[in-house]
């Protein structure tokens, strides 16, 4: 079986989405890939799921709402305890659903009226779980008042609901995501998350009802959100959404293998990587998956990807190897690579190769892979700008700097532009701003943007350096300011 470079490139362009974001589209079983760490995160008892932007939090928040995907989960691993009949309710998310949960403005109004975050989220949980047992009531203020005034009736309804779920052998989940959208300032966000975790703890004694909270690492600051009795019981359920290098390539094969008219690719992959695809059937649709027993075998992933991208990141091995080079240049200072950045870089590399090197002997040219990393870096920086509005004030003065560099040079640039004082005027502040420049360095290191080297200098991973316009000798060129 021979598949041309042009055919492989066309397949990549058809299969990989232009915008790999969970919101705004319906999840399809053929695009669902299960890294081992995610299997643990999906179980009902995992009440806190931690992940960086693009690691899959919003993906699973959306996917768990889809009955066909829950069916698929049950087929792949029944120990996850998720199946089609699992009740899934939405407690909060980026998309407005005022009947399911209050939006940011409504939450602000409720908090100003003296309602506690704990009672707010208890009401959200109760109204989602028991909507078929309670009289209709319009408005969250009225619902909270009713829940506050009827604690015994609520308790009886919840016990009855739990017994009903036990008889059915089913679970009820209430999902929370995008908590940064619930508040305008950091302290309010922490208060809301603390209240949410309290309700997760209070529902934990039930046999079949669980909250599942998808949070970013900085949102799960234990010193701020775990300051209530028995918080350790919720913290102990924490699971991180990690992506190993084989997982990232497994996701790529999932997209390519399940694209329409991918028969020749699957046969070609079987031949080149010596694999036999796992098959599962979901609602009559056959889903092809990389063999589960070979998921961690890097040599199979490497040999197949090098058939697509060539063996080297240049004219010889001195420039590195595409299989390791690409995830490595998309990783933050903690070694975390988001699958979103990975797919964005690959699609951009295919587009660039088609435009600049259409006759290249491989589907992806190594110079195009570098431009793919530039594209992924730009999108990652745009995402950070949305999540942390203060970050732009810290990184803009560093444009043109060459890393690694001494921290004194960074402090000098921040002081020239009076960065610390300007930041204190913002609503969403860096967590350690009161400690001055050293506190800001600590925050950036925690986020994986700064890396403290053994000699004390600051390094910045390419996935951020390129998008923020910083240089590195011999590295991928930074993006020029528009």
């Amino acid at each position: 079986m021979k598949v041309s470079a042009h055919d492989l490139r066309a397949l990549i362009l058809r299969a990989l989405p232009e915008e790999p974001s969970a919101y705004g589209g319906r999840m399809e079983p053929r695009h669902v890939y299960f890294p081992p760490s995610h299997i643990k995160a999906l179980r009902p008892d995992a009440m806190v799921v931690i992940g960086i932007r693009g690691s899959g939090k919003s993906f699973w928040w959306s996917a768990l709402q889809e009955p066909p995907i829950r069916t698929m989960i049950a087929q792949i691993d029944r120990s996850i305890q998720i199946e089609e009949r699992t009740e899934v309710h939405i407690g909060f998310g980026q998309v407005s659903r005022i009947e399911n949960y209050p939006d940011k403005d409504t939450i602000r109004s409720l908090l100003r009226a003296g309602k506690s975050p704990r009672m707010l989220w208890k009401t959200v949980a109760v109204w989602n779980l028991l909507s078929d047992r309670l009289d209709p009531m319009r408005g969250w203020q009225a619902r909270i008042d009713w829940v506050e005034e009827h604690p015994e009736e609520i308790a009886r309804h919840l016990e009855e609901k739990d017994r009903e779920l036990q008889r059915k052998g089913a679970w009820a989940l209430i999902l929370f995501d995008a908590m940064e959208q619930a508040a305008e300032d950091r302290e309010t966000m922490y208060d809301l998350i603390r209240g949410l975790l309290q309700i997760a703890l209070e529902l934990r004694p039930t046999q079949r009802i669980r909250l599942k909270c998808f949070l970013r690492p900085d949102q799960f600051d234990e010193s701020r959100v775990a300051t209530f009795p028995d918080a350790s019981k919720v913290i102990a359920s924490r699971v991180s959404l990690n992506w190993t290098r084989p997982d990232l390539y497994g996701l790529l094969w999932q997209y390519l293998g399940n694209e329409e008219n991918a028969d020749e690719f699957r046969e070609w992959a079987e031949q080149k990587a010596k694999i036999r695809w796992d098959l599962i059937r979901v609602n009559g649709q056959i889903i092809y998956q990389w063999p589960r027993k070979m998921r961690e075998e890097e040599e199979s992933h490497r040999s197949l990807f090098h058939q697509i991208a060539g063996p080297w990141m240049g004219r010889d091995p001195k420039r590195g190897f595409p299989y390791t080079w690409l995830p490595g240049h998309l990783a933050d200072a903690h070694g975390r690579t988001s699958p979103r950045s990975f797919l964005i870089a690959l699609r951009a590399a295919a587009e660039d190769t088609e435009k600049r090197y259409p006759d290249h002997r491989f589907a992806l040219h190594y110079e195009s892979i570098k431009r793919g990393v530039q594209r992924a870096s730009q999108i990652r920086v745009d995402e950070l700008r949305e999540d942390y509005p203060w970050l732009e004030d810290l990184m803009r003065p560093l444009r043109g700097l060459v890393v690694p560099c001494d921290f004194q040079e960074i402090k000098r640039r921040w002081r020239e532009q009076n960065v610390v004082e300007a930041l204190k005027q913002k609503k969403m502040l860096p967590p350690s701003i009161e400690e001055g420049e050293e506190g800001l360095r600590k925050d950036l290191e925690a986020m994986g943007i700064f890396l403290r080297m053994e000699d004390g200098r600051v390094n910045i991973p390419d996935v951020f350096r390129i998008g923020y316009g910083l240089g590195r000798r011999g590295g991928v060129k930074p993006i020029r300011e528009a």
Side-chain angles (χ1 to χ4, degrees):
M1 173 62 62
K2 181 174 176 58
V3 179
S4 71
H6 179 270
D7 290 342
L8 286 169
R9 195 180 309 133
L11 176 62
I12 293 170
L13 290 171
R14 287 201 314 275
L16 301 191
E18 293 184 33
E19 175 47 54
S21 176
Y23 284 109
R26 195 175 184 85
M27 297 290 112
E28 296 187 54
R30 66 190 178 122
H31 294 153
V32 177
Y33 177 79
F34 293 85
S37 72
H38 294 214
I39 288 175
K40 189 175 179 184
L42 292 176
R43 289 177 178 146
D45 279 336
M47 294 178 284
V48 178
V49 180
I50 306 293
I52 61 172
R53 177 95 178 233
S55 63
K57 300 186 302 299
S58 299
F59 177 88
W60 287 121
W61 180 89
S62 296
L64 284 171
Q65 298 175 48
E66 300 292 338
I69 294 179
R70 297 202 296 271
T71 299
M72 182 180 177
I73 292 172
Q75 288 185 35
I76 289 175
D77 192 336
R78 298 201 70 81
S79 74
I80 298 174
Q81 298 178 290
I82 298 291
E83 52 195 345
E84 183 173 358
R85 61 179 175 170
T86 302
E87 280 188 27
V88 178
H89 305 277
I90 307 304
F92 193 80
Q94 188 171 328
V95 180
S96 176
R97 296 187 185 181
I98 196 65
E99 274 306 306
N100 292 97
Y101 49 81
D103 61 11
K104 179 162 56 177
D105 289 341
T106 307
I107 289 174
R108 183 177 59 224
S109 173
L110 293 167
L111 295 179
R112 283 179 178 172
K115 302 304 178 188
S116 71
R118 173 185 164 277
M119 190 54 66
L120 187 157
W121 296 125
K122 179 176 181 179
T123 304
V124 169
V126 163
W127 231 263
N128 277 280
L129 284 167
L130 307 176
S131 58
D132 57 340
R133 301 161 194 250
L134 303 178
D135 292 334
M137 193 174 297
R138 190 174 177 84
W140 286 101
Q141 173 85 47
R143 291 175 181 177
I144 294 175
D145 289 343
W146 191 88
V147 171
E148 284 180 319
E149 293 164 4
H150 298 80
E152 184 176 340
E153 190 172 346
I154 293 296
R156 291 182 186 279
H157 278 306
L158 285 174
E159 287 180 15
E160 186 180 334
K161 175 75 174 182
D162 192 38
R163 285 194 294 272
E164 179 185 305
L165 289 164
Q166 290 179 57
R167 285 195 296 273
K168 292 179 180 175
W171 287 87
L173 300 179
I174 313 169
L175 308 180
F176 295 81
D177 184 35
M179 289 299 293
E180 68 279 4
Q181 300 291 329
E184 287 188 333
D185 61 81
R186 181 171 294 279
E187 291 309 315
T188 304
M189 180 183 74
Y190 285 139
D191 288 344
L192 288 168
I193 293 172
R194 188 186 310 113
L196 181 59
L197 298 181
Q198 285 178 283
I199 297 305
L201 177 65
E202 290 173 24
L203 287 176
R204 184 171 173 270
T206 64
Q207 296 294 309
R208 292 282 172 169
I209 300 171
R210 292 291 183 274
L211 264 61
K212 189 176 285 294
C213 314
F214 294 98
L215 300 172
R216 296 188 320 229
D218 62 294
Q219 292 174 330
F220 195 64
D221 183 334
E222 293 182 30
S223 67
R224 290 178 164 89
V225 303
T227 54
F228 56 91
D230 284 340
S232 60
K233 293 176 180 174
V234 179
I235 294 172
S237 78
R238 172 182 51 193
V239 178
S240 295
L241 295 178
N242 298 318
W243 287 82
T244 65
R245 195 161 55 203
D247 287 334
L248 293 168
Y249 285 97
L251 177 66
L252 172 63
W253 312 138
Q254 181 88 16
Y255 270 85
L256 299 188
N258 288 288
E259 181 58 24
E260 291 181 9
N261 302 318
D263 297 359
E264 289 188 351
F265 167 76
R266 290 192 296 270
E267 291 178 25
W268 176 81
E270 287 183 5
Q271 190 180 77
K272 296 294 182 184
K274 296 182 173 54
I275 64 156
R276 185 168 294 279
W277 297 87
D278 286 346
L279 307 183
I280 60 172
R281 188 180 293 273
V282 180
N283 290 348
Q285 180 186 11
I286 295 176
I287 309 292
Y288 297 88
Q289 295 194 310
W290 191 260
R292 195 167 180 176
K293 63 182 181 181
M294 295 178 66
R295 284 191 176 181
E296 298 301 315
E297 291 183 13
E298 293 217 68
E299 191 49 42
S300 300
H301 295 292
R302 182 198 304 270
S303 66
L304 193 59
F305 188 62
H306 284 182
Q307 295 284 335
I308 291 174
W312 306 320
M313 282 302 298
R315 297 183 183 280
D316 56 54
K318 294 178 182 176
R319 296 293 181 182
F321 307 97
Y323 176 76
T324 52
W325 191 96
L326 178 58
H329 283 71
L330 294 173
D332 67 11
H334 301 302
R336 301 172 299 197
T337 301
S338 87
R340 185 183 301 162
S341 296
F342 184 71
L343 295 181
I344 288 170
L346 283 168
R347 182 179 171 87
E351 290 173 347
D352 190 80
T353 305
E354 184 68 15
K355 178 181 176 182
R356 296 172 187 264
Y357 316 102
D359 298 324
H360 188 55
R361 59 190 288 245
F362 294 105
L364 303 178
H365 194 284
Y366 52 83
E367 292 295 345
S368 298
I369 293 176
K370 295 175 184 176
R371 294 189 186 95
V373 169
Q374 287 180 322
R375 174 67 178 150
S377 176
Q378 183 62 64
I379 290 177
R380 188 73 183 274
V381 165
D382 290 343
E383 292 173 346
L384 288 173
R385 192 175 291 123
E386 294 172 6
D387 292 346
Y388 309 96
W390 48 269
L391 191 54
E392 189 69 14
D393 294 305
L394 288 179
M395 299 305 292
R396 192 186 307 113
L398 308 186
R399 180 171 284 278
L401 194 64
V402 175
V403 291
C405 69
D406 196 284
F407 185 57
Q408 294 302 319
E409 173 61 20
I410 291 174
K411 286 168 68 174
R412 185 186 67 76
R413 292 191 175 213
W414 283 348
R415 287 177 181 177
E416 280 181 355
Q417 300 197 23
N418 201 24
V419 166
V420 175
E421 291 307 313
L423 280 177
K424 289 181 178 177
Q425 309 305 316
K426 305 255 179 179
K427 287 186 176 178
M428 278 284 186
L429 297 174
S432 306
I433 191 169
E434 294 306 324
E435 299 173 36
E437 289 111 346
E438 289 296 336
L440 296 173
R441 178 180 189 175
K442 187 170 71 176
D443 290 339
L444 292 172
E445 288 175 350
M447 294 169 67
I449 296 174
F450 275 14
L451 174 66
R452 189 184 297 252
M453 301 180 72
E454 288 187 1
D455 61 6
R457 289 183 300 163
V458 174
N459 203 353
I460 299 179
D462 278 0
V463 71
F464 305 118
R465 176 189 66 79
I466 295 167
Y468 281 118
L470 284 79
R472 184 197 312 282
R473 290 187 178 85
V476 177
K477 292 180 180 178
I479 296 172
R480 293 179 179 174
E481 198 167 20

